[in-house]
Amino acid sequence: MSDDRTRAHVFVSGRVQGVYYRASTRDAARNRDIEGWVKNLDDGRVEAVFEGSENAVEEMIEWCHTGSEAADVESVEVEYEAPEGESGFRIEW
């Protein structure tokens, strides 16, 4: 693992469920060599974890502010954590 590897735990609020947000997040993360996961929460938010190079993780966080074309993002909360060695990027159910 590279020294600049970082982990961001992200919560996205707004109209982010039922608008292809998780699948778009998965595709965007894979395009940036980000590892982690994304899932819907019962309260209507989307939760995600991104692990990768600091620059790539920051790009993903910025991407979350727009998300999929049909999404209407109201807020993105980010908590930084120690990397846990995620492998691949998946949608969790």
Side-chain angles (χ1 to χ4, degrees):
M1 272 191 251
S2 144
D3 287 337
D4 75 334
R5 188 169 174 89
T6 191
R7 177 184 176 100
H9 196 164
V10 179
F11 296 89
V12 185
S13 302
R15 189 181 58 172
V16 292
Q17 291 190 13
V19 292
Y20 206 62
Y21 196 93
R22 289 177 301 159
S24 296
T25 301
R26 177 198 58 210
D27 295 347
R30 287 178 176 172
N31 287 339
R32 292 168 175 82
D33 294 322
I34 295 288
E35 296 173 303
W37 50 265
V38 62
K39 70 178 180 179
N40 284 341
L41 297 176
D42 291 340
D43 64 7
R45 296 180 299 163
V46 167
E47 178 183 16
V49 164
F50 305 127
E51 275 193 25
S53 73
E54 188 174 340
N55 287 341
V57 169
E58 291 301 321
E59 283 180 23
M60 266 316 296
I61 293 167
E62 190 61 34
W63 179 92
C64 286
H65 287 271
T66 303
S68 65
E69 288 185 25
D72 184 12
V73 176
E74 293 175 5
S75 70
V76 178
E77 300 172 41
V78 182
E79 301 169 2
Y80 291 94
E81 304 169 345
E84 294 182 9
E86 295 286 342
S87 179
F89 197 92
R90 67 197 177 280
I91 295 174
E92 292 198 341
W93 303 95

